[in-house]
Amino acid sequence: MNLSVAEENYIKAIYKLQEGEQAVTTNALAYELETKPASVTDMAKKLKEKKLISYEKYQGITLSPEGRKTALQVVRRHRLWECFLVDKLSFSWEEVHELAEELEHVRSEKLISRLSDFLGNPVIDPHGDPIPDANGRMAKPRPQTSLDQANARRLVVTAVSDQSSALLAFLNAKSIKLGTQLEIIAHYEFDNSIEIKVKHQPAITISEQVAKNIMVRPL
């Protein structure tokens, strides 16, 4: 199906916001896409005609099976391009999202298949998000928790839940990325900050807000 860039962006945003069978409201989608609810309603009618969503006024929006398939294709392209930009062109992880937003709309299946093969068929992107395979399947994630909730002392970073460029740049400056091994030195009750030690780096203290967005698993 030949979709416009705007239609693909809507489908991907619905996929991001939809949890299980829960419908996405027009207001939530408008906020996500930084547009007006009336524009969302107009697009929802178009996507419903193409059988990509289920939509009834005041009842929200859910992806149809074909819509979910389309969303996963866009997500796959986006996350593979992020891998390419980081692994092969040496972009830092806070730089690649906007570039991948443009590249994800290149729809050549042959190109994306070769890109995946070239990268070694990665299963996670540079931020720790799973990459769907060509059939829309994703590898089952290993158990992980946020750093502020971790019980183990020695940990490895597995993902980042907040992927804003500001947080990613902060973590980059602190030598924290996917695969970074760290040790918890102390928790401070006063403000719930955490002192951590990254190998070959001096100990640093990070705020509770930062710790909540760093996903880890025990070593």
Side-chain angles (χ1 to χ4, degrees), residues 6 9-10 12-14 16-17 24-41 43 97-98 101 164-165:
N9 285 337
Y10 268 83
K12 188 177 71 166
I14 295 166
K16 177 182 177 182
L17 295 172
V24 176
T25 67
T26 53
N27 285 337
L29 194 51
Y31 181 82
E32 175 70 19
L33 293 167
E34 298 180 353
T35 190
K36 297 178 180 178
S39 298
V40 171
T41 300
M43 179 61 80
H97 179 73
E98 290 187 2
E101 286 279 292
S164 65
S165 57

Coordinates of all heavy atoms in Angstrom, one line a residue, residues 6 9-10 12-14 16-17 24-41 43 97-98 101 164-165:
A6 N 2.9 11.6 5.9 CA 2.0 11.9 7.0 C 1.3 10.7 7.5 O 1.1 10.5 8.7 CB 1.1 13.0 6.6
N9 N 3.5 8.5 9.5 CA 3.8 9.1 10.8 C 2.6 8.9 11.8 O 2.8 8.6 13.0 CB 4.1 10.6 10.7 CG 5.5 10.8 10.1 OD1 6.3 10.0 10.2 ND2 5.7 12.0 9.5
Y10 N 1.4 9.0 11.3 CA 0.2 8.7 12.1 C 0.2 7.3 12.6 O -0.1 7.0 13.7 CB -1.1 9.1 11.3 CG -1.5 10.5 11.5 CD1 -1.0 11.6 10.8 CD2 -2.5 10.8 12.5 CE1 -1.4 12.9 11.0 CE2 -3.0 12.1 12.7 CZ -2.4 13.1 11.9 OH -2.8 14.4 12.1
K12 N 2.6 5.1 12.9 CA 3.6 4.9 13.8 C 3.3 5.5 15.2 O 3.5 4.9 16.2 CB 5.0 5.4 13.3 CG 6.2 5.0 14.2 CD 7.5 5.5 13.7 CE 7.6 7.0 13.8 NZ 9.0 7.5 13.6
A13 N 2.7 6.7 15.2 CA 2.4 7.3 16.5 C 1.3 6.5 17.2 O 1.3 6.4 18.4 CB 1.9 8.8 16.2
I14 N 0.3 6.0 16.4 CA -0.8 5.2 17.1 C -0.2 4.0 17.7 O -0.5 3.6 18.8 CB -1.8 4.8 16.0 CG1 -2.6 6.1 15.5 CG2 -2.9 3.9 16.6 CD1 -3.4 5.9 14.3
K16 N 2.8 3.6 18.8 CA 3.6 4.0 20.0 C 2.7 4.2 21.2 O 3.0 3.8 22.3 CB 4.4 5.3 19.7 CG 5.1 5.8 20.9 CD 5.8 7.1 20.6 CE 6.5 7.7 21.8 NZ 7.2 9.0 21.5
L17 N 1.5 4.8 20.9 CA 0.6 5.2 22.0 C -0.3 4.0 22.5 O -0.8 4.0 23.6 CB -0.3 6.4 21.6 CG 0.5 7.7 21.4 CD1 -0.5 8.7 20.8 CD2 1.1 8.2 22.7
V24 N -6.6 4.7 21.3 CA -5.8 6.0 21.4 C -6.8 7.2 21.2 O -7.5 7.2 20.2 CB -4.7 6.1 20.4 CG1 -4.0 7.4 20.5 CG2 -3.7 4.9 20.6
T25 N -6.8 8.1 22.1 CA -7.7 9.3 21.9 C -7.2 10.2 20.8 O -6.0 10.3 20.6 CB -7.9 10.0 23.2 OG1 -6.7 10.7 23.6 CG2 -8.4 9.1 24.3
T26 N -8.1 11.0 20.2 CA -7.6 12.0 19.2 C -6.8 13.1 19.9 O -5.8 13.5 19.3 CB -8.8 12.6 18.5 OG1 -9.7 13.1 19.5 CG2 -9.6 11.6 17.7
N27 N -7.1 13.4 21.1 CA -6.3 14.4 21.8 C -4.9 13.9 22.1 O -3.9 14.7 21.9 CB -7.0 14.8 23.1 CG -8.2 15.7 22.9 OD1 -8.3 16.4 21.9 ND2 -9.1 15.7 23.9
A28 N -4.8 12.7 22.5 CA -3.4 12.1 22.8 C -2.6 12.1 21.5 O -1.4 12.4 21.5 CB -3.5 10.7 23.4
L29 N -3.2 11.7 20.4 CA -2.5 11.6 19.1 C -2.2 13.0 18.6 O -1.1 13.2 18.1 CB -3.4 10.9 18.1 CG -2.8 10.4 16.8 CD1 -1.5 9.6 17.1 CD2 -3.7 9.6 16.0
A30 N -3.1 14.0 18.8 CA -2.8 15.3 18.4 C -1.6 15.9 19.2 O -0.7 16.6 18.7 CB -4.0 16.2 18.7
Y31 N -1.5 15.6 20.5 CA -0.4 16.0 21.4 C 0.9 15.4 20.9 O 1.9 16.0 20.8 CB -0.7 15.7 22.8 CG 0.4 16.1 23.8 CD1 0.5 17.4 24.2 CD2 1.4 15.2 24.2 CE1 1.5 17.9 25.1 CE2 2.4 15.6 25.1 CZ 2.4 16.9 25.5 OH 3.4 17.4 26.4
E32 N 0.9 14.1 20.6 CA 2.1 13.3 20.2 C 2.6 13.9 18.9 O 3.8 14.0 18.7 CB 1.7 11.9 20.0 CG 2.8 11.0 19.4 CD 4.0 10.8 20.4 OE1 3.8 11.0 21.6 OE2 5.1 10.4 19.9
L33 N 1.7 14.3 17.9 CA 2.1 14.7 16.6 C 2.2 16.2 16.5 O 2.5 16.8 15.4 CB 1.2 14.2 15.6 CG 1.3 12.6 15.4 CD1 0.1 12.1 14.5 CD2 2.6 12.2 14.7
E34 N 1.9 16.9 17.6 CA 1.9 18.4 17.7 C 1.0 19.0 16.6 O 1.4 19.8 15.8 CB 3.4 18.9 17.5 CG 4.3 18.4 18.7 CD 5.7 18.9 18.5 OE1 6.0 19.5 17.5 OE2 6.5 18.8 19.5
T35 N -0.2 18.5 16.5 CA -1.2 19.0 15.6 C -2.5 19.2 16.3 O -2.6 19.1 17.5 CB -1.3 18.0 14.4 OG1 -2.1 18.7 13.4 CG2 -2.0 16.7 14.8
K36 N -3.5 19.6 15.6 CA -4.9 19.9 16.1 C -5.7 18.6 16.1 O -5.6 17.8 15.2 CB -5.5 21.0 15.4 CG -4.8 22.3 15.4 CD -5.5 23.4 14.6 CE -4.7 24.7 14.6 NZ -5.4 25.7 13.8
P37 N -6.6 18.4 17.1 CA -7.5 17.3 17.1 C -8.3 17.2 15.9 O -8.6 16.1 15.4 CB -8.4 17.5 18.4 CG -7.5 18.3 19.3 CD -6.7 19.2 18.4
A38 N -8.7 18.3 15.3 CA -9.5 18.3 14.0 C -8.7 17.6 12.9 O -9.3 16.9 12.1 CB -10.0 19.7 13.7
S39 N -7.4 17.9 12.9 CA -6.6 17.3 11.8 C -6.4 15.8 12.0 O -6.4 15.0 11.1 CB -5.2 17.9 11.9 OG -5.2 19.3 11.6
V40 N -6.4 15.4 13.3 CA -6.4 14.0 13.6 C -7.6 13.3 13.2 O -7.6 12.2 12.6 CB -6.1 13.7 15.1 CG1 -6.3 12.3 15.5 CG2 -4.8 14.2 15.6
T41 N -8.8 13.9 13.4 CA -10.0 13.3 13.0 C -10.1 13.2 11.5 O -10.5 12.1 11.0 CB -11.2 14.2 13.4 OG1 -11.2 14.3 14.9 CG2 -12.5 13.7 13.0
M43 N -7.5 12.8 9.4 CA -6.6 11.7 9.0 C -7.2 10.3 9.4 O -7.1 9.4 8.7 CB -5.3 11.9 9.6 CG -4.3 10.8 9.3 SD -3.9 10.7 7.5 CE -2.7 12.0 7.3
H97 N 17.9 10.4 15.9 CA 16.4 10.2 15.8 C 15.8 11.0 14.7 O 15.1 10.5 13.9 CB 15.8 10.6 17.1 CG 14.3 10.4 17.1 ND1 13.6 9.2 17.1 CD2 13.3 11.4 17.0 CE1 12.3 9.4 17.1 NE2 12.1 10.7 17.0
E98 N 16.2 12.3 14.6 CA 15.6 13.1 13.5 C 16.0 12.7 12.2 O 15.2 12.7 11.2 CB 16.0 14.6 13.8 CG 15.3 15.2 15.0 CD 15.5 16.7 15.2 OE1 16.2 17.3 14.3 OE2 15.0 17.3 16.1
E101 N 14.0 9.7 11.3 CA 12.7 10.1 11.0 C 12.5 10.3 9.5 O 11.4 10.1 8.9 CB 12.3 11.3 11.8 CG 12.0 11.1 13.2 CD 10.7 10.6 13.5 OE1 9.7 11.3 13.3 OE2 10.6 9.4 14.0
S164 N 15.1 11.7 24.8 CA 15.3 13.1 24.4 C 16.8 13.4 24.2 O 17.6 12.8 24.9 CB 14.7 14.0 25.6 OG 15.5 13.9 26.7
S165 N 17.1 14.3 23.3 CA 18.5 14.6 23.0 C 19.2 15.2 24.2 O 20.4 14.9 24.4 CB 18.6 15.6 21.8 OG 17.8 16.8 22.1

